[in-house]
Amino acid sequence: MMKKIAVVGAGPGGLAASMILASKGYEVHVYEKQNYVGGRNGHFTLGEGAYTFDIGPTFLSMPHIMEEIFQLSGRNVHDYMDLMELSPMYELQFDGKRVPMYRDRRKMIQVIRDYFPGNEIGYQRFMKETREQMEALTPLLQTRHNRLRDYVSKRTLRALPKLSLGKSVYDVLSQYFDDEKLKIAFTFQAKYLGMSPWECPGAFAILSYMEHEHGVFHPRGGVNQLSKAMARVVEEHGGQIHLGQGVRKFKLDGKKMKALELDSGEIVEADEFIVNADFAHAMNHLVDDQELTKHKSTHLEKKKYSCSTFMIYVGLDKKYEMPHHTIIFAEDYKKNVDEMTKDLVLSDEPSIYVHNASVTDDSLAPEGHSAVYILAPVPNNYSELDWDDKQDLFKELIYDELENKTGFHDIRDHIVAEKVLTPKQWETDHFVHKGATFSLGHQLSQMMYFRPHNKFQEFEHCWLVGGGTHPGSGLPTILESARITTNWIREEEVQTT
Ligand SMILES: Cc1cc2nc3c(=O)[nH]c(=O)nc-3n(C[C@H](O)[C@H](O)[C@H](O)COP(=O)(O)OP(=O)(O)OC[C@H]3O[C@@H](n4cnc5c(N)ncnc54)[C@H](O)[C@@H]3O)c2cc1C
């Protein structure tokens, strides 16, 4: 008899682990508190189903990792998702100047020649040297990190010089470019980890490299299609996804994980447990503090967490010929980033990301209409900002910025449906610790061995997947967390049989 696996949460991490294990014959049961799959990678509609929105992720990169995870589960991802590559990948807006960014090398060099002359060679050098760095780092991101002595392995020692230790992403890009705007164009990706380019470890220069090397994709229907597709594969292999069945507590026998107590009071026993719920949230809510050693609430309070995001999702009775992805940078970008990550205050001039996917994908809104997702990075809830008080003013500030600075110059006149999601709601409605939407920070002190291990250190038969664990937040790394965990579960089983 194959083992029974109980998974807490149907986010992309939990679903990826579930589909791999279900395909290998394990009895998989996923318990999800929400009534939908995907977690932050889920979707919702407004206007009686007329407008469809991704809740969170909208950038899909490194599609080969997704392809590999589906192959591991005996499936071809392209049978489930219609992927479109975006060209330009996105448009960046600085002081009214619109700069398209391309994966195509020749087009990108032309853009640099037009907007940032003299930096063409720096771009080529960045791509070449970061490719070497990526080759050295990839094994570290695909490997478990549960023993400190692993750090003296040959592979790690070889990768160490590539980690740009002691440098920030901004420092690294300053070695290639002399134009401040261009540096921002290749470092703003630190924001995908909810971090400042001036703080984010230099190794994460691989983030912009990944986009420029592998491209940015949009699945028809939205990036939420990834989680939907994985949920289908889980069920095709006989796994069961129990929606609306939250987990209230882990049931332990000493340090052995024995069962889950659901919100309904039902007790679910299993051989192995995989936790996909946001790590810090799970530790604070599903386990009693006295059962923990390293991850008690007092310890978790000392960790660093990502920034949060203020979201406006709007259905519009107008289609704007604006790019699929636009990022509008505050004039003083560093001040804006410091305010959101250090000073923990709202910026008078926020940076804003606009996802206008209807321009590529007509399935998201009725003809002539559009479904637009607007995101402003803001401090997480350690700021103690009163969002009930601030929400309306901040929303109007964002609309003002869009109307004044972008092609969405009359957006307010075309709103048919609208939903706002604040850091407070990320915490209360989406179960994200302190509304830190990109989970635990990616400071080196919280990476690899120093990040929660995929085989949880505290309890036996308990495994972790998702953005708050190794290797990190972001869909490609979340899928890697599922690959590491499931390989490990299978390997241990072989060893014990
Ligand atoms: C606004 C935003 C934009 C993002 N953009 C990108 C992007 O463009 N590209 C990218 O690669 N990444 C992006 N990310 C980061 C990351 O890819 C997503 O956050 C991703 O969904 C995280 O996946 P996860 O598996 O870690 O957890 P989650 O998606 O949070 O899933 C965890 C699941 O656990 C469930 N759960 C929690 N508690 C319980 C409980 N007690 N019982 C049962 N279930 C429970 C939750 O309901 C949820 O469904 C973005 C994130 C956000 C928030």
Side-chain angles (χ1 to χ4, degrees), residues 8-13 31-34 38-41 56-59 246-247 276-277 281 286 309 311 373 375 426 431 437-438 466-467 473-476 478:
V8 183
Y31 296 91
E32 170 53 57
K33 206 169 170 75
Q34 307 281 18
R40 282 169 267 182
N41 180 222
T58 52
F59 276 64
V247 173
N276 176 221
H281 171 88
L286 308 185
T309 54
M311 317 288 302
Y373 151 141
L375 177 159
W426 280 119
F431 322 119
T437 40
F438 308 99
S473 178
L475 292 170
I478 287 168

Side-chain angles (χ1 to χ4, degrees), residues 4-11 14-15 18 27-39 234 239-250 257 259-278 286 431:
K4 178 174 174 185
I5 313 280
V7 182
V8 183
L15 291 170
S18 300
E27 183 191 339
V28 176
H29 289 266
V30 186
Y31 296 91
E32 170 53 57
K33 206 169 170 75
Q34 307 281 18
N35 289 316
Y36 56 83
V37 295
V234 172
Q240 289 186 41
I241 301 174
H242 307 272
L243 294 179
Q245 299 209 35
V247 173
R248 188 196 291 162
K249 274 277 174 271
F250 295 171
M257 186 115 164
L260 302 175
E261 181 185 328
L262 304 187
D263 288 339
S264 62
E266 189 189 332
I267 303 292
V268 176
E269 293 184 347
D271 299 303
E272 304 291 338
F273 300 85
I274 300 179
V275 182
N276 176 221
D278 178 62
L286 308 185
F431 322 119

Side-chain angles (χ1 to χ4, degrees), residues 178-204:
D178 62 15
D179 186 288
E180 283 306 305
K181 303 273 184 289
L182 189 56
K183 288 181 201 172
I184 290 175
F186 280 78
T187 57
F188 79 87
Q189 294 79 357
K191 209 68 85 46
Y192 301 167
L193 306 177
M195 291 181 77
S196 152
W198 290 271
E199 302 285 326
C200 186
F204 286 108

Side-chain angles (χ1 to χ4, degrees), residues 21-269:
L21 292 177
S23 76
K24 308 299 173 205
Y26 288 84
E27 183 191 339
V28 176
H29 289 266
V30 186
Y31 296 91
E32 170 53 57
K33 206 169 170 75
Q34 307 281 18
N35 289 316
Y36 56 83
V37 295
R40 282 169 267 182
N41 180 222
H43 86 285
F44 66 93
T45 61
L46 289 179
E48 292 168 3
Y51 305 98
T52 302
F53 301 88
D54 279 317
I55 297 174
T58 52
F59 276 64
L60 193 59
S61 186
M62 309 277 280
H64 58 277
I65 295 181
M66 196 172 70
E67 285 164 356
E68 288 165 17
I69 299 288
F70 275 74
Q71 267 165 23
L72 250 181
S73 315
R75 292 291 188 271
N76 179 349
V77 68
H78 300 287
D79 292 337
Y80 294 81
M81 281 163 69
D82 180 8
L83 273 191
M84 302 174 238
E85 181 166 2
L86 301 176
S87 180
M89 299 188 287
Y90 38 80
E91 192 172 281
L92 306 180
Q93 206 173 305
F94 304 99
D95 312 332
K97 215 187 273 175
R98 294 172 59 172
V99 185
M101 301 297 276
Y102 292 96
R103 175 191 189 190
D104 181 288
R105 225 37 80 79
R106 257 179 310 172
K107 283 188 183 162
M108 194 60 231
I109 288 173
Q110 190 56 50
V111 168
I112 294 179
R113 194 170 289 136
D114 291 345
Y115 293 89
F116 315 103
N119 283 279
E120 300 87 326
I121 303 279
Y123 161 70
Q124 285 167 306
R125 208 159 52 78
F126 169 74
M127 291 304 288
K128 180 176 172 293
E129 292 176 6
T130 315
R131 176 175 303 116
E132 290 161 15
Q133 183 188 11
M134 187 81 199
E135 278 163 15
L137 288 182
T138 301
L140 297 190
L141 298 178
Q142 293 180 329
T143 319
R144 57 189 77 162
H145 288 268
N146 58 321
R147 294 176 308 194
L148 257 183
R149 66 173 183 273
D150 291 345
Y151 285 88
V152 291
S153 74
K154 264 197 204 143
R155 188 167 47 193
T156 311
L157 288 177
R158 225 178 296 133
L160 277 182
K162 310 278 181 192
L163 281 171
S164 302
L165 292 173
K167 290 197 178 111
S168 68
V169 170
Y170 180 85
D171 295 333
V172 171
L173 267 296
S174 300
Q175 297 166 354
Y176 299 101
F177 301 134
D178 62 15
D179 186 288
E180 283 306 305
K181 303 273 184 289
L182 189 56
K183 288 181 201 172
I184 290 175
F186 280 78
T187 57
F188 79 87
Q189 294 79 357
K191 209 68 85 46
Y192 301 167
L193 306 177
M195 291 181 77
S196 152
W198 290 271
E199 302 285 326
C200 186
F204 286 108
I206 58 172
L207 290 175
S208 52
Y209 165 80
M210 274 156 44
E211 293 177 347
H212 284 266
E213 180 68 19
H214 299 285
V216 173
F217 295 80
H218 171 80
R220 191 172 159 77
V223 175
N224 64 82
Q225 295 297 316
L226 171 61
S227 280
K228 274 202 186 153
M230 294 194 290
R232 263 178 70 194
V233 178
V234 172
E235 290 178 338
E236 284 168 10
H237 286 304
Q240 289 186 41
I241 301 174
H242 307 272
L243 294 179
Q245 299 209 35
V247 173
R248 188 196 291 162
K249 274 277 174 271
F250 295 171
K251 304 291 278 181
L252 293 150
D253 177 4
K255 285 287 178 187
K256 282 200 178 89
M257 186 115 164
K258 284 288 185 194
L260 302 175
E261 181 185 328
L262 304 187
D263 288 339
S264 62
E266 189 189 332
I267 303 292
V268 176
E269 293 184 347

